[in-house]
Amino acid sequence: MPVEVVAGRLKELTFRQLLEKTSSFVTVAELVTSRGLITERNGRRVLQLARSLSEHPRFHALSITDNPGGHAMLSADTLGTDLISRGQQVIIHLSCKDWNRNALESRAWKLASEGFQNVLALSGDYPAGGYAGQAAPVFDIDSVGLLKMFSEMGGTSFFLGAVVNNHKRHEREVMPQYFKLAKKIECGARFIINQIGYNSRKDDELLRYVTLKGLNVPVLANVYVLSVEAARFFHAGRIPGCVVTDELLALAEAQTSSPDRGKSFFLEFAAKQCAIAKGLGFRGVYLGGRLRFEDYERILEIWDSFGRDDWKIFAREISFGQPGEFYHFEPDSATGLSSSEISRDYLRSKASPPRASLAYEINRAIHEKIFEEGKLGFRVGKSLYESIDWRPRLKEALHKAEQACKIVGFDCRDCGDCSLPDIAFLCPESQCAKNQRNGPCGGTRDGLCEVGEKECIWARAYDRLKAHGEEEKMLEGPVVYRNGALRGTSAWANTFLGRDHHQRKTQEEK
Ligand code: SF4
């Protein structure tokens, strides 16, 4: 039974104990390391801020980012090690953009050996810039794969967290984010932080969705303290997945004429967001932004000055939804937040969804008849590939025929471990910049990929599956890990001969 612990004693508990054994509201500060050595000016500034925050009784954990925005920064471990030696609870961010699965496993052993207990598992932003040109992305696995790998690793026992990006505009973005949230929890996430956003109704919706689906994890509300510059940056879409609407930007711009360029306005705005988070039922706040120690103190001071129910007024005030934004629940006119009734428009659209394209229907029919185990086509395919497995020339000829079909139909890149059936016949190798095989990353904006202008394949897959009433099952299968050893080999042969990830799916279904 979770218990409320007196404020002064909270610092004695680990972050895991706080969330799992108490009902206390926690405060976490996000720290962004600098570019360069920790002994240089900026490095020393972040270190000093971190040390001051670690002595502050109201901050229960410090969370250190991993090359945010895709830029190279000082490793989170360097700052984290200093804090751990002072008894501070640290959350280390680990993303998949710069590390393959072996490097991530190695990091896990290193971190666990050094005493780190809390890891935030992320897919990560697409790399931006780098020495003598843009760095190549890795994305060997994704956040879901990382969570599962870390939960099953021997020797480590991290308290794993994940992020959900609920501040999306379209149903085809929001719903896959919720499905992925459930998948992350199934794979080992024990706490959740939501992405930056300034829409209380959507945050309320997130908690209602978590309760509706029995997901039963503590969720921390992201409170990123704006400035005029940050508002402009987010509004321009410069940080994937972070939205500042026209209305919020106008409010921020209006602060430029104030003597402090809106500093006190934005600190009060953040304090209101903290109050809303507590009022809505989040388990804590996750404070980020370019802040000085005094700014954190000021936010807490303003927050403490609010009355018990003031958050209800603030929630109406801080509700910057996007035009035509999708909500899973009907609004509650009495509060300006969500009601517990599922959106009637959403239910109607589920009952009579638009039809999928003819090309999708044809691919689906072919797949059902040939590639599903147990079907006659599968038995024929299996015996064919078994019979030619020791005949290199025939194998090569069939592989070329396969490629001829799949390059034209799907822009196939010959990875040999095909995920077409997992993503409604859309190829993640050629059409997803981050090769996401277990659901969408959080970087979309208006349904478009954070890299380039393509539609997100997971949004497209959602539409295709919804036409068959299957969208809610889109992430139900086993976690997909692409097997690098299969690159350049026939994906058809690998499916028929049980060499690819579909074999695991079949085994789990038996
Ligand atoms: S085999 Fe790999 S590269 Fe080819 S279509 Fe399938 S997922 Fe894409």
Side-chain angles (χ1 to χ4, degrees):
M1 182 77 174
V3 290
E4 183 76 35
V5 179
V6 286
R9 296 210 50 209
L10 289 176
K11 291 284 274 191
E12 295 167 19
L13 301 178
T14 64
F15 185 56
R16 182 199 290 254
Q17 285 169 334
L18 275 170
L19 290 182
E20 290 189 340
K21 307 270 185 237
T22 80
S23 56
S24 306
F25 192 80
V26 303
T27 308
V28 176
E30 181 181 86
L31 296 167
V32 179
T33 57
S34 56
R35 275 180 66 78
L37 303 182
I38 202 161
T39 47
E40 289 170 354
R41 190 162 157 265
N42 283 337
R44 286 202 313 273
R45 185 188 59 77
V46 180
L47 180 64
Q48 190 47 52
L49 173 62
R51 286 178 175 172
S52 305
L53 287 170
S54 73
E55 280 160 20
H56 196 293
R58 293 279 289 277
F59 285 92
H60 307 111
L62 301 181
S63 188
I64 312 176
T65 56
D66 174 16
N67 292 350
H71 299 281
M73 311 290 268
L74 176 68
S75 164
D77 312 10
T78 310
L79 180 59
T81 309
D82 179 86
L83 297 174
I84 281 197
S85 69
R86 291 160 192 272
Q88 174 62 45
Q89 284 292 302
V90 171
I91 303 169
I92 285 279
H93 296 211
L94 264 192
S95 78
C96 305
K97 63 181 178 295
D98 303 321
W99 312 77
N100 68 15
R101 67 193 81 178
N102 287 355
L104 286 163
E105 216 176 0
S106 169
R107 282 285 307 275
W109 287 318
K110 174 179 179 287
L111 290 170
S113 305
E114 289 169 352
F116 290 93
Q117 298 167 358
N118 314 299
V119 168
L120 189 72
L122 306 144
S123 289
D125 298 327
Y126 198 83
Y131 174 72
Q134 181 160 309
V138 179
F139 299 113
D140 176 38
I141 57 173
D142 54 27
S143 54
V144 170
L146 181 58
L147 285 162
K148 186 169 165 64
M149 183 172 85
F150 277 14
S151 2
E152 292 181 354
M153 275 177 79
T156 64
S157 54
F158 292 122
F159 186 46
L160 295 169
V163 171
V164 60
N165 198 328
N166 56 318
H167 292 282
K168 296 285 179 197
R169 184 171 179 184
H170 301 294
E171 175 192 334
R172 63 212 290 265
E173 299 174 278
V174 176
M175 294 312 298
Q177 288 296 331
Y178 288 157
F179 303 151
K180 192 168 180 185
L181 166 67
K183 191 80 186 167
K184 286 175 175 176
I185 293 165
E186 179 192 316
C187 290
R190 294 293 168 262
F191 69 94
I192 299 293
I193 300 168
N194 74 337
Q195 179 55 288
I196 298 167
Y198 303 90
N199 185 355
S200 303
R201 181 176 164 197
K202 212 49 172 286
D203 285 340
D204 182 38
E205 169 173 306
L206 172 62
L207 294 186
R208 287 179 186 275
Y209 187 85
V210 165
T211 306
L212 180 75
K213 297 294 173 185
L215 295 175
N216 198 23
V217 277
V219 186
L220 273 60
N222 202 326
V223 174
Y224 188 94
V225 185
L226 284 173
S227 60
V228 178
E229 290 69 28
R232 286 177 188 157
F233 205 68
F234 291 168
H235 179 262
R238 302 284 291 279
I239 296 288
C242 300
V243 176
V244 161
T245 61
D246 294 347
E247 199 189 347
L248 179 53
L249 179 67
L251 186 64
E253 292 286 4
Q255 307 309 317
T256 46
S257 52
S258 69
D260 65 352
R261 276 185 65 79
K263 184 85 182 173
S264 39
F265 170 83
F266 291 118
L267 295 182
E268 185 177 340
F269 193 91
K272 288 177 177 176
Q273 284 187 281
C274 294
I276 297 167
K278 192 164 185 184
L280 289 177
F282 280 87
R283 276 300 310 278
V285 284
Y286 184 86
L287 269 171
R290 286 181 66 83
L291 302 174
R292 296 167 307 171
F293 182 70
E294 312 82 84
D295 299 330
Y296 289 100
E297 288 204 300
R298 182 69 189 132
I299 291 169
L300 296 178
E301 196 185 327
I302 303 171
W303 180 11
D304 290 345
S305 71
F306 296 145
R308 198 160 157 244
D309 286 333
D310 287 353
W311 71 271
K312 294 177 183 168
I313 301 160
F314 304 151
R316 280 190 179 276
E317 200 181 303
I318 303 180
S319 258
F320 295 94
Q322 302 172 68
E325 185 161 343
F326 166 82
Y327 294 91
H328 187 260
F329 296 101
E330 287 290 325
D332 179 348
S333 55
T335 61
L337 299 168
S338 288
S339 70
S340 52
E341 182 189 353
I342 294 177
S343 158
R344 291 187 282 272
D345 283 347
Y346 170 61
L347 292 177
R348 267 193 294 276
S349 78
K350 273 171 79 70
S352 53
R355 295 166 84 116
S357 67
L358 183 63
Y360 171 69
E361 298 298 348
I362 292 170
N363 287 323
R364 188 182 161 98
I366 293 173
H367 181 81
E368 273 172 18
K369 290 200 166 31
I370 299 177
F371 292 98
E372 279 190 7
E373 208 173 335
K375 297 283 170 68
L376 176 65
F378 190 92
R379 290 199 291 276
V380 173
K382 187 172 162 67
S383 20
L384 172 68
Y385 278 93
E386 274 170 353
S387 66
I388 62 149
D389 205 30
W390 49 277
R391 294 185 184 173
R393 287 221 179 120
L394 256 179
K395 258 171 76 172
E396 199 187 327
L398 270 186
H399 187 191
K400 281 195 174 137
E402 173 191 333
Q403 281 291 287
C405 300
K406 286 173 71 178
I407 289 173
V408 175
F410 310 104
D411 196 8
C412 172
R413 301 290 163 91
D414 206 17
C415 77
D417 196 358
C418 193
S419 269
L420 287 176
D422 308 321
I423 318 174
F425 304 103
L426 294 160
C427 171
E429 291 276 322
S430 58
Q431 292 165 67
C432 176
K434 298 183 186 171
N435 204 340
Q436 298 288 288
R437 295 196 178 210
N438 294 291
C441 73
T444 61
R445 193 175 172 89
D446 282 347
L448 300 179
C449 177
E450 74 179 66
V451 186
E453 291 292 307
K454 278 192 217 154
E455 269 189 298
C456 171
I457 56 168
W458 285 98
R460 292 174 66 198
Y462 179 85
D463 292 343
R464 291 177 173 194
L465 293 168
K466 190 175 170 184
H468 288 265
E470 295 171 356
E471 76 281 12
E472 295 200 22
K473 297 186 195 144
M474 69 193 297
L475 302 181
E476 270 187 1
V479 176
V480 178
Y481 291 94
R482 177 190 43 167
N483 183 353
L486 299 178
R487 180 162 293 284
T489 64
S490 160
W492 287 352
N494 295 331
T495 295
F496 288 128
L497 302 178
R499 292 170 179 156
D500 63 9
H501 72 272
H502 298 291
Q503 184 62 14
R504 283 183 53 220
K505 192 171 174 179
T506 313
Q507 281 166 354
E508 284 187 25
E509 279 166 4
K510 276 181 184 166

